[in-house]
Amino acid sequence: MGEFIYLDNAATTKTAPEAVEAMLPYFTDFYGNPSSIYSLGASARKAVAETREQIASTLGAKSSEIYFTGGGSESDNWALVATAEAYAGKGKHMITSAIEHHAILHTCQYLEQRGYEVTYIDVDENGILKLDELEAAIRPDTILISVMFANNEIGTIQPIREIGALARKHNVLFHTDAVQAYAHLPIRVDEMNIDMLSASGHKFHGPKGTGFLYIRTGVKIRSFLHGGQQERGRRAGTENVPGIIGLGRAAQLAFSHMEERSRKEEELRDYLMERIGKEIPYCRLNGDARRRLSNNVNFSFRFIEGESLLISLDRKGICASSGSACTSGSLDPSHVLLAIGLPHEIAHGSLRLTVSWENTMEEMDRTVEAVKEIVERLRNMSPLYEDFIKSEEGGKKRGKNYV
Amino acid sequence: MGEFIYLDNAATTKTAPEAVEAMLPYFTDFYGNPSSIYSLGASARKAVAETREQIASTLGAKSSEIYFTGGGSESDNWALVATAEAYAGKGKHMITSAIEHHAILHTCQYLEQRGYEVTYIDVDENGILKLDELEAAIRPDTILISVMFANNEIGTIQPIREIGALARKHNVLFHTDAVQAYAHLPIRVDEMNIDMLSASGHKFHGPKGTGFLYIRTGVKIRSFLHGGQQERGRRAGTENVPGIIGLGRAAQLAFSHMEERSRKEEELRDYLMERIGKEIPYCRLNGDARRRLSNNVNFSFRFIEGESLLISLDRKGICASSGSACTSGSLDPSHVLLAIGLPHEIAHGSLRLTVSWENTMEEMDRTVEAVKEIVERLRNMSPLYEDFIKSEEGGKKRGKNYV
Amino acid sequence: MYSDKVMDHFENPRNVGEIENASGIGTVGNAKCGDIMRIYLDIDDDGIIRDCKFKTFGCGAAVATSSMATELVKGKSIEEAMKVTNKAVMEALDGLPPVKVHCSLLAEEAIHAALWDYAQKKGIHIEGLVQPKSDIHEEESGEEY
Amino acid sequence: MYSDKVMDHFENPRNVGEIENASGIGTVGNAKCGDIMRIYLDIDDDGIIRDCKFKTFGCGAAVATSSMATELVKGKSIEEAMKVTNKAVMEALDGLPPVKVHCSLLAEEAIHAALWDYAQKKGIHIEGLVQPKSDIHEEESGEEY
Ligand SMILES: Cc1ncc(COP(=O)(O)O)c(C=O)c1O
Ligand SMILES: Cc1ncc(COP(=O)(O)O)c(C=O)c1O
């Protein structure tokens, strides 16, 4: 697929060939059930135990605190539902942010139907959680604060350490959806006071359908998937051994090259942000300019609509997205862009480009040229742009300093 | 691992090399998110759609009735929890069997904690559900009957058609955990009145961490994993595309060779049953002799304990299990063996050998010889056997016709 | 997702643009929902649509249905144009995904709105035509940015 | 799962068997729980354990702890044998998995039960020894099969 320029790494990543390589023996050679008693299962069990140890060390956690799951959504659902059930005796109130992934928000809605109460804390225009509102929302019956580490759409990194400190101060559990951050940023669960953390393998060049939930020792946690005694009785289902091994190998690569990969991505990101911001009029950078994932670029282009932009990019071999991948196909604009204050019609015209260290500068140049050309073409087709230009000509001078 | 004789195919199977082959391009070439708008995602979307179609056809179902999951346990949890929630208005009573897998039984216990009531129907000495007790247990507030298609420990196949008919007659939903049966036996959801069906990829030479839930059109079903709009809004989480493709390829192979594979397995199974039953005294075949999975052999050997039998077999390179793999390491004897009436100490001494069409007759011979030798060795070490022999010699003549 | 016809009309839209001193202009849709279509009609004295142009803010299907709708009404009489339904537009495009059917409805409405504008200006009555819902332009809140 | 020492004692158990006219026999455990150990002791007039044999129904750890326990008491005086604790057995086996610790306790109990039997027969008192829980043999229900 060399002709493609893949800029949707926040949606999913290419599985690292090294990860695939590491998985292969566990499909057809060491395929034994890790819970079994015989040596064939023991090789699988040992490999899973080593991966657990390795993953734990990346967070400064103990290996007994890592539970492998089937992905980020399952980790999020587990953290919220099981905490709600285990701590219902203390209270039925939870706090989260308005810009969480749907894996959190829809689970909150589900819990609301079950009699729980959820407070959704606002973010500022850059997507940063309002800490004072968070603290004000904490009540005696608050059992959990769940705030994402970094946002999947606009890349904003939350003040996790401060949130953790607040949670600790008020003796409330703290979960973070680190699906976009894990293996991209350094995370220390102790220093940051994180009690639970969700991660997903395919967001850092591991296989799809894998993830884990970190649960600090001492947190009362129930099972979410009930059944066999896998994962120390906490998560039923025959272990996805190849998947766990692939996730582990991908994490290993990501952590040992974290600095150089981040630097490379930031270079690509900053180049895109700079050129698009300068060369395309009436655009707006979404998300915080500094506290931002190294791979995330998100712009709104006034007067045009996102889907037609994406299709046009696709025709030029550029893979990008608009809002989160999960909701593409839906007609509502992204709740994240609305939460940072964008009006609907501006939110509709947004573009997310998420790079990986494997992208090249030459690809960035081609991308900028393509975006410029397409935005211009779509604007020339847009009745909104027509009205705007005419009002400009009519001397009303509105909206000039759009960015 | 050529030196191994793998006889634990009910726990997990070797992933078919063809399935691995089919998965590979979806890791590193067509890795795009199937929910995305660009062509790279479209290839994944198309492949997933084709697999869904193919899986549906194996059941006589519609493709819109197939929901891919992360495994058999997730499918089981989903079916029970979501049905309980969606039909709570009708009632809070469910019926299941006493010999279900823990993925069903522990989920039932979880629902019991949440205010649901569950009736566990007994089985006869061969593990066949007592249909009259089932019918008698149906109440106006019964919302679901969940009975496994075939048992994972003793291989007994349930009268699914009859159970389906009863459920239909009383207008109760019918779910079947077909994890051991799917892709091993022909299943038609319409003829059998099955409303929901769970399957797991790694039980038929597909990859671990994959499965599906069939949900008949019209069944009110809620999500279990809340989040993105994947699987038509019913099961959140980025699709495990390689996993789904691998599951599909494995199913395709299983269905196109079903008859010859079954015939081969039955030959191996019957040979094992015949020789062990004849050549080892004081043993008992567990499960129905005829209504039985083609790959399942399960014997109890009196006076000895299962774990030491398994370890000894492992030292001879034979992979087998005792009770279900999930509970190995636990001290309780299998609930299935107790349910068919075995006393504890006999249940402790049970051995499950589950073959695949890839096993050979020569392997069966080596296995029988190994089991004979080990059982004899362990009996000579057993105080129970000592007592028994002494009482025999003492003329008490008890237990002679053990089988 | 889209048929080849849709993609063709999206990539090479026919009749994009404005008509100066148009006989009728209709704008429908809502920026909030992500779709706005504007149709310009040039109608001669015999009531024949001589020219038809469009501008659209919206998704691929919105652009393609606008383009196809202009093609279908061009050269037609007003009565014939009234018969260009959303179904006709969809069929001409070899279908649309279910979530995109509303785009074809919007295209039908845009034609009707332009005809209404023409009828108002001319002071005539067009059989079967009802007043379109009021046009909704970019919201004022947009100016904040 | 098991240490090499455990595997060695499981595969090559020392002192399996019976002792005719043993000085003391002790059987502990419960077939229901899956573990029964029986220890035979041959104790000479000086109170030295001349020989020791065992029979065990149970898991790998049960067999290995029985075997190790017999090794540890053989040749010892009664007083020394009383000091062979389950910890000593576990250490000699390079440890046991947590779920298997109860096997080492059973081995300790079996020795004590055999010593109790000896003391009863001899009508002596052994310092620190208490009456073992009653032996539990194969349950009668077993006969149904
Ligand atoms: C009957 C039955 N149901 C459910 C399961 C659970 O399947 P999985 O391990 O794929 O989650 C198994 C296998 O362990 C099984 O045998
Ligand atoms: C922030 C965040 N949370 C959760 C998820 C869900 O992860 P998965 O798709 O692996 O279930 C995603 C990705 O879609 C995400 O970006």
Side-chain angles (χ1 to χ4, degrees):
Chain A
M1 315 293 287
E3 73 269 42
F4 282 98
I5 301 179
Y6 187 72
L7 296 176
D8 204 14
N9 287 283
T12 193
T13 56
K14 180 169 112 180
T15 310
E18 296 91 334
V20 178
E21 202 63 47
M23 294 167 76
L24 289 179
Y26 294 92
F27 285 116
T28 45
D29 293 336
F30 310 108
Y31 54 85
N33 191 321
S35 304
S36 63
I37 219 163
Y38 38 78
S39 339
L40 184 62
S43 2
R45 186 164 58 244
K46 190 155 160 283
V48 168
E50 281 166 9
T51 302
R52 199 186 306 280
E53 187 70 55
Q54 174 216 325
I55 296 291
S57 75
T58 64
L59 292 167
K62 296 193 283 286
S63 70
S64 61
E65 299 174 320
I66 303 297
Y67 299 86
F68 293 114
T69 68
S73 298
E74 186 193 321
S75 299
D76 283 344
N77 275 256
W78 182 6
L80 266 55
V81 173
T83 305
E85 293 177 351
Y87 287 87
K90 180 189 172 194
K92 294 189 141 196
H93 178 242
M94 296 184 159
I95 302 174
T96 188
S97 88
I99 62 165
E100 296 296 307
H101 189 269
H102 283 135
I104 295 290
L105 291 179
H106 288 166
T107 306
C108 285
Q109 284 161 20
Y110 163 76
L111 288 170
E112 284 172 328
Q113 287 166 17
R114 283 183 55 189
Y116 291 84
E117 202 183 325
V118 183
T119 303
Y120 302 88
I121 305 297
D122 263 343
V123 294
D124 69 13
E125 70 280 5
N126 291 326
I128 292 178
L129 194 83
K130 297 181 175 163
L131 284 173
D132 48 343
E133 288 191 16
L134 173 67
E135 185 159 20
I138 299 173
R139 316 187 316 206
D141 63 339
T142 305
I143 52 177
L144 182 71
I145 294 170
S146 179
V147 176
M148 67 200 320
F149 206 107
N151 185 270
N152 47 307
E153 291 189 43
I154 57 175
T156 301
I157 298 168
Q158 298 297 345
I160 290 299
R161 194 182 295 267
E162 288 76 6
I163 299 170
L166 276 180
R168 194 55 46 101
K169 177 177 153 197
H170 294 275
N171 201 21
V172 174
L173 290 178
F174 175 36
H175 166 257
T176 184
D177 173 347
V179 166
Q180 292 292 336
Y182 179 76
H184 292 275
L185 288 173
I187 303 181
R188 307 312 287 176
V189 287
D190 282 345
E191 294 166 29
M192 296 173 170
N193 280 323
I194 296 167
D195 296 309
M196 285 175 271
L197 178 146
S198 302
S200 179
H202 71 101
K203 306 285 186 179
F204 55 89
H205 304 280
K208 293 175 173 66
T210 67
F212 68 82
L213 180 63
Y214 157 80
I215 308 175
R216 179 181 295 283
T217 310
V219 172
K220 270 194 289 178
I221 189 98
R222 300 212 176 166
S223 295
F224 177 67
L225 283 184
H226 309 276
Q229 291 303 305
Q230 294 91 350
E231 301 293 297
R232 298 178 299 294
R234 296 291 177 74
R235 197 274 187 182
T238 302
E239 296 88 341
N240 177 359
V241 181
I244 290 169
I245 301 305
L247 174 143
R249 185 77 178 99
Q252 194 177 53
L253 290 167
F255 276 91
S256 55
H257 300 285
M258 189 177 279
E259 228 177 293
E260 70 199 75
R261 286 187 182 182
S262 296
R263 215 178 310 118
K264 177 74 189 300
E265 287 173 2
E266 280 167 17
E267 200 183 315
L268 299 167
R269 175 195 72 182
D270 293 345
Y271 184 78
L272 278 181
M273 295 207 303
E274 163 104 11
R275 280 200 62 190
I276 292 176
K278 267 202 188 128
E279 300 177 26
I280 304 184
Y282 313 120
C283 73
R284 177 198 200 270
L285 177 70
N286 297 314
D288 198 279
R290 286 181 317 107
R291 287 158 76 167
R292 186 180 198 94
L293 285 172
S294 57
N295 69 0
N296 178 290
V297 175
N298 190 312
F299 276 100
S300 289
F301 301 101
R302 211 171 155 189
F303 317 121
I304 67 166
E305 191 273 343
E307 194 215 78
S308 47
L309 175 53
L310 291 189
I311 303 178
S312 304
L313 281 170
D314 180 40
R315 302 302 275 196
K316 293 179 185 286
I318 298 170
C319 304
S321 88
S322 173
S324 95
C326 307
T327 49
S328 74
S330 105
L331 298 171
D332 294 331
S334 139
H335 66 285
V336 176
L337 298 178
L338 297 180
I340 59 171
L342 262 58
H344 275 73
E345 68 279 12
I346 309 272
H348 275 299
S350 75
L351 175 69
R352 180 182 76 178
L353 302 169
T354 43
V355 302
S356 105
W357 54 278
E358 289 188 299
N359 289 116
T360 64
M361 270 298 175
E362 193 259 320
E363 290 178 330
M364 298 304 104
D365 278 325
R366 279 172 54 197
T367 301
V368 174
E369 293 308 324
V371 174
K372 275 169 73 172
E373 184 192 317
I374 294 163
V375 168
E376 192 179 328
R377 189 174 87 86
L378 293 176
R379 281 185 178 160
N380 284 334
M381 220 188 276
S382 167
L384 297 175
Y385 189 62
E386 181 187 319
D387 292 350
F388 172 75
I389 293 297
K390 283 180 181 158
S391 71
E392 286 281 281
E393 286 165 358
K396 278 163 89 187
K397 295 278 178 229
R398 65 170 198 179
K400 190 88 183 191
N401 299 311
Y402 175 58
V403 182
Chain B
M1 314 295 286
E3 73 268 44
F4 282 97
I5 301 180
Y6 187 71
L7 296 176
D8 203 14
N9 287 282
T12 193
T13 56
K14 180 169 112 180
T15 310
E18 297 91 334
V20 178
E21 202 63 49
M23 295 166 77
L24 289 179
Y26 294 92
F27 285 116
T28 46
D29 293 337
F30 310 109
Y31 54 86
N33 190 319
S35 303
S36 63
I37 220 163
Y38 39 78
S39 337
L40 184 61
S43 1
R45 186 163 57 245
K46 191 156 160 280
V48 169
E50 280 167 9
T51 303
R52 198 186 306 280
E53 187 70 56
Q54 172 217 325
I55 296 291
S57 75
T58 62
L59 291 167
K62 296 193 283 286
S63 70
S64 61
E65 298 174 321
I66 303 296
Y67 299 86
F68 293 115
T69 68
S73 297
E74 186 192 321
S75 300
D76 282 344
N77 275 257
W78 182 6
L80 266 53
V81 174
T83 305
E85 293 177 352
Y87 288 87
K90 182 189 171 195
K92 296 189 138 196
H93 179 242
M94 297 186 159
I95 302 174
T96 189
S97 88
I99 62 165
E100 296 296 308
H101 189 268
H102 284 135
I104 295 291
L105 291 179
H106 288 167
T107 305
C108 285
Q109 284 161 19
Y110 164 75
L111 288 170
E112 285 172 327
Q113 286 166 16
R114 283 183 55 190
Y116 291 83
E117 202 184 324
V118 183
T119 304
Y120 302 87
I121 305 297
D122 264 343
V123 295
D124 69 14
E125 72 281 3
N126 291 326
I128 292 178
L129 194 83
K130 296 181 175 163
L131 284 173
D132 49 344
E133 288 191 14
L134 172 67
E135 185 159 20
I138 299 174
R139 315 187 316 206
D141 62 341
T142 305
I143 52 178
L144 182 71
I145 295 170
S146 179
V147 176
M148 69 200 320
F149 207 107
N151 185 271
N152 45 308
E153 292 188 44
I154 57 175
T156 301
I157 299 168
Q158 298 297 345
I160 289 298
R161 194 182 295 266
E162 288 75 5
I163 299 170
L166 275 181
R168 195 55 45 101
K169 178 176 153 198
H170 294 275
N171 200 22
V172 173
L173 291 178
F174 175 38
H175 166 257
T176 185
D177 173 348
V179 165
Q180 292 291 337
Y182 179 75
H184 292 275
L185 288 173
I187 303 179
R188 309 310 287 175
V189 287
D190 282 344
E191 293 166 28
M192 296 172 170
N193 280 322
I194 296 168
D195 295 309
M196 285 175 272
L197 177 146
S198 302
S200 180
H202 71 100
K203 304 287 188 180
F204 53 90
H205 303 280
K208 293 176 173 64
T210 68
F212 68 83
L213 179 64
Y214 156 81
I215 308 174
R216 180 181 295 283
T217 309
V219 172
K220 270 196 288 178
I221 187 103
R222 301 212 175 164
S223 295
F224 178 65
L225 283 184
H226 308 277
Q229 293 302 304
Q230 293 91 350
E231 300 294 298
R232 299 178 298 295
R234 296 292 178 71
R235 197 272 186 183
T238 303
E239 297 87 340
N240 178 359
V241 181
I244 291 168
I245 302 305
L247 174 143
R249 185 76 178 99
Q252 195 178 53
L253 290 167
F255 277 91
S256 55
H257 299 287
M258 189 176 280
E259 228 175 294
E260 72 200 71
R261 287 187 180 181
S262 297
R263 213 176 312 116
K264 176 75 189 299
E265 287 173 2
E266 279 166 19
E267 201 181 314
L268 299 167
R269 174 195 73 182
D270 293 345
Y271 183 77
L272 279 181
M273 296 206 303
E274 165 102 12
R275 280 201 62 190
I276 292 176
K278 266 202 190 130
E279 300 177 27
I280 303 185
Y282 313 120
C283 73
R284 179 197 199 267
L285 176 70
N286 297 313
D288 198 279
R290 286 180 317 104
R291 289 158 75 167
R292 183 180 200 95
L293 286 173
S294 56
N295 68 1
N296 179 290
V297 174
N298 189 313
F299 276 99
S300 289
F301 300 101
R302 210 172 155 187
F303 316 120
I304 66 167
E305 193 273 344
E307 196 215 78
S308 48
L309 176 53
L310 291 190
I311 303 179
S312 305
L313 280 169
D314 179 42
R315 302 303 275 197
K316 294 179 183 286
I318 298 170
C319 305
S321 89
S322 173
S324 92
C326 306
T327 49
S328 75
S330 106
L331 298 171
D332 294 331
S334 140
H335 65 285
V336 175
L337 297 179
L338 296 180
I340 60 173
L342 260 59
H344 276 72
E345 68 280 12
I346 308 274
H348 275 298
S350 74
L351 174 70
R352 180 181 76 178
L353 302 168
T354 43
V355 303
S356 106
W357 54 277
E358 290 187 298
N359 289 115
T360 64
M361 270 299 176
E362 193 259 321
E363 290 178 330
M364 299 305 104
D365 277 327
R366 279 173 52 199
T367 301
V368 174
E369 293 309 325
V371 174
K372 275 170 71 171
E373 184 190 317
I374 294 163
V375 167
E376 193 178 328
R377 189 174 86 87
L378 293 175
R379 281 184 177 160
N380 284 334
M381 220 188 277
S382 168
L384 297 176
Y385 189 63
E386 180 186 320
D387 292 348
F388 172 76
I389 292 298
K390 284 181 179 158
S391 70
E392 286 280 279
E393 286 165 357
K396 280 164 88 188
K397 294 279 179 228
R398 64 172 200 181
K400 190 89 184 190
N401 299 311
Y402 176 57
V403 182
Chain C
M1 175 176 173
Y2 288 134
S3 70
D4 291 344
K5 275 258 177 71
V6 172
M7 283 312 296
D8 177 34
H9 274 263
F10 170 70
E11 288 205 282
N12 311 296
R14 318 328 186 228
N15 311 309
V16 176
E18 303 167 39
I19 298 178
E20 296 224 7
N21 305 318
S23 321
I25 305 179
T27 307
V28 295
N30 184 325
K32 211 163 169 172
C33 300
D35 295 299
I36 295 182
M37 288 185 195
R38 177 172 297 162
I39 297 274
Y40 296 84
L41 295 177
D42 176 16
I43 302 177
D44 69 13
D45 295 341
D46 299 331
I48 302 298
I49 297 171
R50 283 289 150 221
D51 199 5
C52 176
K53 297 232 180 268
F54 83 92
K55 288 228 168 158
T56 286
F57 161 87
C59 64
V63 172
T65 51
S66 314
S67 164
M68 181 54 87
T70 57
E71 282 285 275
L72 290 179
V73 299
K74 225 159 101 171
K76 293 233 164 78
S77 69
I78 289 170
E79 290 68 36
E80 287 167 333
M82 283 295 295
K83 287 180 197 138
V84 174
T85 59
N86 82 302
K87 271 187 78 174
V89 173
M90 286 219 292
E91 270 163 27
L93 286 169
D94 295 342
L96 285 176
V99 290
K100 297 297 186 182
V101 172
H102 74 280
C103 294
S104 63
L105 281 163
L106 213 59
E108 185 188 309
E109 275 176 36
I111 301 281
H112 287 191
L115 287 173
W116 178 267
D117 182 43
Y118 167 74
Q120 290 292 98
K121 282 179 187 159
K122 284 273 176 186
I124 61 171
H125 173 75
I126 297 174
E127 192 58 42
L129 194 62
V130 294
Q131 181 168 12
K133 293 157 217 143
S134 64
D135 303 355
I136 296 157
H137 295 258
E138 190 182 10
E139 300 211 323
E140 293 312 303
S141 55
E143 292 170 28
E144 288 171 24
Y145 296 92
Chain D
M1 176 173 170
Y2 288 133
S3 69
D4 290 345
K5 274 258 177 71
V6 172
M7 283 311 297
D8 176 35
H9 275 264
F10 171 69
E11 287 205 281
N12 311 296
R14 321 321 188 231
N15 312 310
V16 176
E18 303 167 40
I19 298 180
E20 297 225 7
N21 305 317
S23 321
I25 305 179
T27 307
V28 296
N30 184 326
K32 210 163 170 173
C33 300
D35 296 298
I36 295 183
M37 288 186 197
R38 177 172 297 161
I39 297 274
Y40 297 84
L41 296 176
D42 177 15
I43 302 175
D44 69 13
D45 295 341
D46 301 330
I48 303 298
I49 298 171
R50 286 286 153 225
D51 199 6
C52 176
K53 297 229 181 268
F54 82 92
K55 288 227 169 161
T56 287
F57 160 85
C59 63
V63 172
T65 51
S66 314
S67 164
M68 181 55 86
T70 56
E71 283 285 273
L72 290 180
V73 299
K74 226 161 102 172
K76 292 230 163 80
S77 69
I78 290 170
E79 290 67 38
E80 286 167 333
M82 281 298 293
K83 288 182 194 134
V84 174
T85 59
N86 81 303
K87 269 185 79 175
V89 174
M90 284 217 296
E91 270 163 29
L93 286 169
D94 294 343
L96 285 175
V99 290
K100 298 297 187 183
V101 172
H102 74 279
C103 295
S104 64
L105 280 163
L106 213 59
E108 185 187 310
E109 277 175 35
I111 301 283
H112 288 191
L115 287 173
W116 180 267
D117 182 44
Y118 167 74
Q120 291 292 101
K121 282 181 186 157
K122 285 271 174 187
I124 61 171
H125 173 74
I126 297 175
E127 192 57 41
L129 194 64
V130 294
Q131 181 168 13
K133 293 158 215 135
S134 66
D135 303 354
I136 296 153
H137 293 259
E138 191 182 13
E139 300 211 326
E140 293 312 302
S141 55
E143 293 170 26
E144 289 170 24
Y145 294 91

